[in-house]
Each structure stands twice: as structure tokens, then as C-alpha cells.
Amino acid sequence: MAYNGYAIDSENYLDAADVTKRLDALITKPIYSVLPEHLDDYIKNYFDAKCAGSKQMTDEAKKVIPGGVEHNLAFNYPFPIAIKSAIGNKMTDVDGNEYYDLLQAGGPTVLGSNPPEVRDAVIDLLNTCGPSTGLFHEYEYKLAKKISELVPSVEMIRFLGSGTEACMCAARIARLKTGNKNILKMGGAYHGWSDQLAYGIRIPGTKGMLSHGVPGFIFKHTDEFFPNDLEDLEKKLKKHKLDGGTAAVFMEPVGPESGTRPVSKEFVKGCERLAHKYGALLIFDEVVTGFRLGVHGAQGFFGVDPDLTVFGKVVAGGYPGAGAVGGHRDCMAYLGAGLDGQSKQLKKVHKALCGGTLSATPISTCAGYHMICEIEKQNACEKAGRMGDRLTRGLQESIKKYNLPFVAFNQGSICHLDSVGTMHFSIDWSRLWEVPGIIKETGIRQNEMEHMGAAYMAEGLITLAGSRLYTSAAYTEEDIDDVIARFDRVFAKCGRLPGQEAKK
């Protein structure tokens, strides 16, 4: 095996075509899920009997918070669970129930939750400085320098409040740098919830269908290309030569939605080649993969040199103020526009609009610096990746044991357990008559993802939407084997749902 400090064994990188073939087959089959009688038992004997405190708390919260929670990941079936503590690879709710944490705050806690090395540094900072000053702080430079030393493409970096803000900023830099108008993004990928990038999210081909509240004209210069399809990317690049050119090709390097629809190494390299062939910047969204797949990012693993890279929660160590855009010096100079004295030729150009009072606060940069130092010191990416490999092998064996159509695969510590293929559908607008049926089918399958997520939680497993699992360096082999046994208990209660027929 050849991990070489990365979360992925380079000698055994997944076969994207094979995984896609299995996912293609999954969405043609009847839906298999936790059977209704077992789901009822989970709700009655676990959620109703053991989670009363969570239900009462979130019911009260609904009076002042829409839906009762503040983050989309917390909208769990049958009701949100209120967490009291998170340490290492475990979380405990207000009723005292303990769970294995496979959500990992959406991905950034590569060391596990609340590592003491980071917490102690933050407490020391709070005793001397406070969380925010509005002015420059030493850690701002220390974190920027650390990231630039580890990620070769990042010669300069600007910290922001979130990954959404970083994607917005990257698009503005790209338009100024290239003089082109259009943004091309991978269909199904999520690059935050800003107006122009909330396009083609979750399912390739959806365009602006899922971006409620965003006027259609906003997407005049935004387009999507199909994952793992270089011909489609080049087709779109050629098309946009005629209407203002392409400023940037945005992509998640492992595939949309953190690799839910995985892509090949050849595709990633091809995107770099085509973006530059047509005068566009290549922008890697490494909000999840940065410092999770390796301290050099997914770009280090794939051997790609993106012009700009977007980072998320990890650069603040899981603390607030969690975003950044970094890249080549000639691109990043548009955030200084000559004011830094490094680029006389940029003095007459417009500075990319970018702000954020709570960007790069002392608390966020302190936490981010110590988190990344510890990830590097502990070889945490490789450790977490080995645990991801072990988990995936165990899930595949359990799926086979119960003869279920589920598909389990991973890219290091980013693991996928797809029971219904909700996000593997796509929309072809040349076959308009199929669209209503696809929307209806994905809705049904989304409900079953939620049911599976509830069953996992009742067995002490917190997942991301019942289909994505993140491992961390806080896991041991014994922990992973226990996790597999808990998934196995759920799989034993799964079967073909009543009334389900094979899809044509």
C-alpha cells in the first residue's frame, strides 16, 4: 500500500467508472430500506423512549428558529437530536445517549472533535487577546504562511468567513484576471449558497430549479458541465467562447458533493488542461478535501496545479470564521490591486470586491494554525484514511451478506454509503417529459435516506444525511469494527419496500 501521508492509497484509488456503473444499477432497482415495522420500532423504542429531552428542546426552539435548528445538517428524522458534548470520535446528546461521530461537523475535524492541543491554544489566546480585534494579529500571518508552505499552488491566501464567501471571492478574481464573463461549474457540486453559484446543485442538470429565491436572470453567466465527462466540459467551453468567454472552471476534485458521484484521476487532469486551453482559471473547491485527504490537499494527491483554491472550516480549526481563497500570486494580487506594492501593473485595475469584519480573527487563525500543525504532526490524514478503508471494506461485506443493492465506496476518509441513489439521478432537458418523474422519484428516495439515517442514529451512529461518513484520526480499528457491527444491525432490518417495482 502507498499512502505516503495521504488519506488515499494511490495504488488502490477507486475505479470511478465501476462505482458509477454500480450506482447506475442502484437507481434502476426497487427501493430497499429499513422495513416499516423496524422503523416504527426504532422510533418508539429509541427516539420516543430515550430522546425526550432532544424533542422537547427542539420543539421549543421551533418557536424562535425556523424548523428548530440553524444548520441544514441538523434537520434529522424524526426530529433533531440536541448535542451536549463532542470529544474525539464521540458525541453525547442532552439525554445522555452516546454516538459515534461520522458527521465530523461536515468534514473539518480530521483530528476528531475538540482536540486538546487546539483547545488549549485557543484558551490561552482568549486569556490574552480575545476572539476579535478588527485589526491584524500574529496568527493571521502564521496561518497564511503555514498553508502556503504546505499547499504548493497557494502562494498567497485571504481568509474569509465561510466557504461560500471564498467561492464568491474566487469567481470575482477569475473575472478580473481573465476578462471573461462565464463561470462553469461541475453539475451536482455545491460551492456555497451565493446567488451565482447556487446552480446545478445536488443533481446534475437541475440548473436553477433548486435555488428558490434566486431570480433566473442571475444565472445568465453560470453554466454546468457533467461530472467525469471531458467532452461535455469542452463543449461548454467552446460554446462560451461566443458569449464572453469562460472565467473559471469550478470543481470539487473528488467529484460533486464530496465525491458522491466520483471522478477519475484522468478527468481531474483533463479539467486542468481544458480550463487553461480556453483561457479560464481552474478553481479547486477543497472545503472538504483540504487537509483531509492530505496536508497538500487533493491537488497534491492528483498532481494538479489549480490557479485558485477554496478552503472551508478546517482553516479555522472548526471554530467560527471558516473560509479562505488562496492561489497563484498573479491571481491573488487582484485582492490588493497594487496596494501591497508587489505588482505595479495592477495599480490601475479594479480591486475584487471582498470584505468581512470577522474574517481572520485571532481565535479562528489561532485554532486553524494549531489544527493544521497537529494534522501534519500526527499524520492524521493517513490515519483517518486507513480507518475509512477499513470501514468501507466492512460495509461492503455486510451489504453482501444481506444481499442488498447498496453501494459503499470511499476516497480515503470520505466514505459513502448509498442505499437509494438519490443524488445519482440527472436531468436531461432534451427529454423534458422525464423531469417531473425524476423529481418525484428523488423525493421518495430522499425520504428513505432520512429513514436510514434515523435507524443509524438509533444504533449510535451519526452520519451526514444517512449516506456520507467521515472518519478521523481519533478512530481506532476496534472503534471501526464496532461501527461496522452497528451498521450490520441496521442492514439486518432492511429489505425491499412494499409496493416497489424495478424501474425501467
Side-chain angles (χ1 to χ4, degrees):
M1 292 185 177
Y3 288 90
N4 301 320
Y6 286 98
I8 301 174
D9 175 6
S10 60
E11 294 178 352
N12 292 290
Y13 183 67
L14 63 75
D15 184 334
D18 177 68
V19 173
T20 299
K21 182 179 179 181
R22 288 188 281 142
L23 291 169
D24 286 343
L26 175 63
I27 62 175
T28 68
K29 295 177 181 178
I31 297 175
Y32 283 67
S33 185
V34 58
L35 293 169
E37 61 270 27
H38 296 304
L39 180 62
D40 289 343
D41 285 342
Y42 276 134
I43 292 173
K44 178 182 177 181
N45 297 323
Y46 185 77
F47 291 98
D48 291 345
K50 298 182 179 181
C51 302
S54 283
K55 188 173 192 309
Q56 181 181 3
M57 188 175 291
T58 53
D59 281 348
E60 282 294 312
K62 288 179 183 178
K63 298 174 182 178
V64 291
I65 301 172
V69 297
E70 299 286 2
H71 195 285
N72 293 339
L73 297 181
F75 283 105
N76 294 309
Y77 179 87
F79 51 80
I81 297 298
I83 297 300
K84 184 177 181 179
S85 69
I87 299 290
N89 64 10
K90 297 284 182 64
M91 287 198 280
T92 305
D93 66 22
V94 294
D95 295 288
N97 302 303
E98 190 176 72
Y99 307 86
Y100 281 108
D101 179 9
L102 295 166
L103 173 62
Q104 293 291 306
T109 51
V110 183
L111 295 175
S113 292
N114 203 10
E117 301 89 347
V118 178
R119 182 176 67 245
D120 292 347
V122 169
I123 290 172
D124 182 63
L125 174 91
L126 291 173
N127 286 331
T128 58
C129 176
S132 179
T133 65
L135 296 174
F136 183 78
H137 190 276
E138 172 189 15
Y139 272 115
E140 196 171 333
Y141 165 72
K142 291 175 73 173
L143 177 58
K145 188 172 187 294
K146 186 66 179 176
I147 294 175
S148 69
E149 289 172 347
L150 290 173
V151 185
S153 74
V154 178
E155 295 177 305
M156 303 182 80
I157 191 166
R158 172 72 179 264
F159 298 109
L160 296 154
S162 66
T164 291
E165 290 181 21
C167 287
M168 292 165 56
C169 187
R172 291 171 181 174
I173 293 171
R175 287 192 168 107
L176 287 171
K177 178 71 168 65
T178 65
N180 295 334
K181 294 181 179 179
N182 296 287
I183 301 296
L184 261 177
K185 53 92 65 182
M186 188 186 295
Y190 179 70
H191 302 297
W193 52 278
S194 67
D195 283 3
Q196 289 189 48
L197 291 173
Y199 187 86
I201 56 177
R202 295 188 62 228
I203 299 173
T206 53
K207 299 185 177 181
M209 288 177 62
L210 302 178
S211 306
H212 306 298
V214 181
F217 73 85
I218 293 291
F219 301 126
K220 180 179 179 181
H221 293 297
T222 308
D223 201 356
E224 59 178 306
F225 60 96
F226 200 83
N228 226 25
D229 189 338
L230 290 175
E231 288 185 6
D232 189 53
L233 173 58
E234 185 157 28
K235 176 182 175 182
K236 299 294 173 57
L237 286 164
K238 285 181 178 178
K239 182 183 84 169
H240 289 301
K241 285 181 68 177
L242 305 175
D243 66 352
T246 300
V249 173
F250 270 81
M251 63 182 296
E252 293 181 66
V254 293
E257 285 286 351
S258 303
T260 298
R261 190 186 291 262
V263 296
S264 67
K265 288 183 177 180
E266 294 74 22
F267 174 77
V268 178
K269 293 288 288 184
C271 288
E272 178 184 31
R273 174 178 56 81
L274 288 174
H276 293 157
K277 177 181 176 180
Y278 288 89
L281 301 190
L282 178 67
I283 301 178
F284 261 25
D285 184 335
E286 295 226 40
V287 165
V288 171
T289 56
F291 303 101
R292 171 164 283 278
L293 293 192
V295 294
H296 310 303
Q299 57 197 263
F301 177 79
F302 287 111
V304 171
D305 180 32
D307 300 284
L308 292 172
T309 301
V310 171
F311 298 99
K313 308 173 190 70
V314 72
V315 298
Y319 286 72
V325 58
H328 296 170
R329 191 173 299 276
D330 61 337
C331 297
M332 296 300 295
Y334 282 88
L335 291 176
L339 297 175
D340 53 15
Q342 296 185 51
S343 185
K344 293 181 180 179
Q345 68 268 29
L346 293 179
K347 284 185 178 179
K348 295 183 180 179
V349 305
H350 293 293
K351 177 180 179 292
L353 179 60
C354 177
T357 305
L358 293 179
S359 298
T361 62
I363 192 173
S364 63
T365 51
C366 171
Y369 174 76
H370 288 284
M371 176 70 79
I372 291 171
C373 286
E374 283 299 319
I375 288 172
E376 182 183 27
K377 178 181 176 182
Q378 297 183 27
N379 194 22
C381 298
E382 181 175 330
K383 289 179 181 177
R386 289 179 181 273
M387 294 302 100
D389 287 345
R390 188 179 186 89
L391 173 59
T392 302
R393 288 193 298 268
L395 291 174
Q396 290 170 341
E397 291 172 4
S398 188
I399 288 167
K400 184 177 180 180
K401 179 170 74 172
Y402 295 107
N403 195 29
L404 295 167
F406 303 167
V407 180
F409 62 98
N410 70 306
Q411 295 119 322
S413 58
I414 306 170
C415 306
H416 302 270
L417 173 56
D418 206 331
S419 58
V420 288
T422 304
M423 290 195 291
H424 195 68
F425 287 82
S426 61
I427 290 177
D428 180 351
W429 288 95
S430 68
R431 302 174 65 84
L432 188 61
W433 62 90
E434 294 180 347
V435 174
I438 290 173
I439 298 301
K440 179 181 178 181
E441 183 67 17
T442 56
I444 293 170
R445 288 173 180 257
Q446 176 69 30
N447 287 339
E448 291 310 318
M449 280 176 62
E450 293 173 359
H451 293 165
M452 291 294 289
Y456 300 148
M457 189 169 286
E459 293 289 355
L461 303 167
I462 292 182
T463 65
L464 195 162
S467 63
R468 199 177 312 158
L469 325 166
Y470 295 108
T471 53
S472 74
Y475 278 93
T476 65
E477 291 185 354
E478 291 74 20
D479 293 329
I480 293 298
D481 291 345
D482 188 22
V483 166
I484 293 166
R486 292 167 187 247
F487 276 112
D488 188 88
R489 291 201 290 269
V490 176
F491 294 167
K493 297 177 174 65
C494 291
R496 179 169 169 170
L497 294 184
Q500 278 290 308
E501 302 294 337
K503 309 296 185 294
K504 294 182 180 179

